[in-house]
Amino acid sequence: MGTLLESIHSPADLKRLDFAQMATLAEEIREFLIQTLSKTGGHLGPNLGVVELTLALHTVFTTPEDKILFDVSHQSYVHKMLTGRLDRMDTIRQPGGITGFTLRTESEHDCFGAGHAGTALSAALGMAVSRDLSGGTENVIAVAGDAAFTNGYTFEAINNIAVQTKRMIVVLNDNEWAIDRNVGAIAHCFHRIVANERYKNFHDSAHRFIERIGGKAASQVAHRAEEAAKSILWPSVLFEQFGLQYYGPIDGHNIPLLVETFKFLKTENRPVLLHVLTQKGRGFQPALDRQKKFHGLGPFDPETGETKPRGQLTYSEVFANTLVKLAAHDERIVAITAAMPSGTGLDIFREHYPKRCFDVGIAEGHAVVFAAGMAARGSRPVCAIYSTFMQRGFDPIVHDVCLQKLPVVLCLDRAGLSGDDGPTHHGLFDIMYLRGIPDIVLMSPKDEDELADMMKTAFELPGPSAIRYPRGTGPGAPCKPEPQAIPLGKAEILRDGSDVAILGLGTMMPLAAELAERMEADGYSAALVNPRFVKPLDLDMIARYASRVAAFVTFEDHVKMGGFGSAVLEALDEMGSQVPVIRIGWPDQFIEQGHVDDLRAKYGLTVEAALAQLTPLLVSRQHPTLVAG
Ligand SMILES: Cc1ncc(C[n+]2csc(CCOP(=O)(O)OP(=O)(O)O)c2C)c(N)n1
């Protein structure tokens, strides 16, 4: 670790450094990030891009009194390093370690937690208004990437800021990238300002100017930028129409310029937006060459940036390959992603069908209504959105898709525990929020081949459907050359039995199968069922087993409350059955980051936990080994 970095225990230490020392510190931070994240994995590119910006923020402002909010907060690692967590950076995203996002309980310097995009401006406005009401004087600064400005929440906040407060600073950290390239009219508008020749000339002279006078006249610089921008470019007009004074764009890697500008903005008695240009991945060539990959990744070689090659196809890739196949036979099929083409696999589909693939930006709600509109006009849209982000699409799913019975296929990637990203990213609520909606069909495949079959099934349905599948790879079941539709609402009986019915939803099938094996080995007759459908449930199957077995066991990678097991319980209740249901799923609490297997063990999503609850219920059944004895 570099010597300057070691001497920074809190932002107060940073405030003692001169600009030359801060420049050295910036390089030490970059090296530290590359070395540390090469072992832990994490959001390297975004953090390499905000080193100088974060140094400047903590030099001018004083947390925890001043409030700095990071949108998504995946770019808060440097902030963590400067606010007393340097010695725990090697635990970032690890079990028991610090998180990869801001978290109020982790540090008093983290004034607001995040993980989902688009919340920083609304939350910052809330803080500013609360401050104004109580006569506080602190500064409130929202730092948001250019992709956050593709999000509705951000614009809903912008619509309110100037009306509700006189003092709030918005920093637009513009690096032209979301995870993939940023999209839409906003991205185009931001890009124009960067590409403009007049701006470039101005920008160069601003550098020389600020260096020569040591930053004294930052306000003049900002105003000149404003004038230059106003006469030719659009972002200033956009933000000023909303009552935010626009400054910039300025070089987000020039520490003196940033520091002097923030000092000036601190004195402004009106809401301001500072447009800062940064380079994602700065200082690490592999990250500059492969922006998407280095947005966020697992461990890598710190010299070359290489990661371990993956053997098997992920569920996302199987989804994409299947969609390519199905789209070849049905030209009505279109695909929609909300800023996650590579995450969902839709970049593969886009290569084949560029005109039938739509990246709408970080706009999940819009994505679902947009899909509904396309479906109403005759297209067959699939919306591929992570389970956790589909939470943003809940009302559109109810109001626009299901109420109108429109044939939209919702593909919920990363359903279930997400592991190291932690509670903001676990997809543990989708069954709960979807299964209460009338007319939706909700499926979950046990393997890759069944995902393909479920997609085929979904496209044959006249109305809405959703398929939930997990992050990463599955059991590796090879896909049939052509997917086959499966009968609606019919479970797959993998093994019949009469003592216990074990239902393993989707990714939990291996645990269910292991439990069934163990029961059989103990002499019980265990039915093993792949439910396939959460809705409509296979009521015939449930009624059949209810008349025979001493208990049901359900396994799901989802919260127990309102989940698949609850659906089985409700169905039994409606049938007037008293057969108990042992529900294995996540408890009613937010689950921390960690390795999936460790967390399953900790929270009782195990065969042992199921056995412990099941065994007492089987005493009424004559145990064959006891009979023999
Ligand atoms: C609601 C929501 N949808 C999608 C994501 C996934 N996501 C994480 S970071 C990111 C891109 C962020 O880009 P930007 O805000 O410009 O920051 P940068 O990484 O470029 O610094 C996306 C789409 C998310 N976190 N939240």
Side-chain angles (χ1 to χ4, degrees), residues 51 68-69 192 211 216-217 232 247 289 316 347 351 359 366 371 397 407 455 487 499 508 527 548 571 603:
V51 176
I68 305 176
L69 293 88
R192 259 194 343 217
E211 274 160 21
K216 274 187 224 118
I232 40 175
Y247 290 103
D289 295 342
S316 311
D347 53 351
E351 275 170 27
D359 179 357
H366 164 72
I397 294 172
M455 290 172 64
D499 288 328
M508 300 300 268
R548 287 192 230 163
Y603 289 101

Side-chain angles (χ1 to χ4, degrees), residues 74 115-117 145-147 175 177-178 280 295 340 362 364 389 392:
H74 63 305
H116 289 198
D146 48 315
N175 56 26
W177 288 85
K280 211 165 172 171
H295 172 86
M340 308 295 278
I362 309 177
E364 289 80 5
F389 303 139
R392 293 267 174 99

Side-chain angles (χ1 to χ4, degrees), residues 7 12 17 116 214 238 245 320 393 406 456 471 500 503 521 527 600 607:
S7 70
L17 304 186
H116 289 198
L238 169 76
Q245 188 64 43
L406 289 168
K456 171 86 174 157
R471 179 183 187 180
V500 57
L503 283 52
R600 283 186 182 176
V607 172

Side-chain angles (χ1 to χ4, degrees), residues 298-366:
F300 58 90
D301 182 320
E303 298 304 320
T304 62
E306 289 307 319
T307 43
K308 278 207 199 101
R310 274 188 297 109
Q312 210 176 301
L313 290 186
T314 61
Y315 272 104
S316 311
E317 287 164 338
V318 172
F319 155 76
N321 292 342
T322 309
L323 198 63
V324 169
K325 254 186 227 171
L326 295 172
H329 303 302
D330 186 347
E331 61 188 24
R332 297 171 306 161
I333 291 178
V334 291
I336 300 161
T337 169
M340 308 295 278
S342 40
T344 57
L346 280 185
D347 53 351
I348 300 173
F349 179 79
R350 187 167 56 188
E351 275 170 27
H352 291 81
Y353 300 106
K355 290 201 172 131
R356 291 159 69 180
C357 188
F358 303 89
D359 179 357
V360 300
I362 309 177
E364 289 80 5
H366 164 72

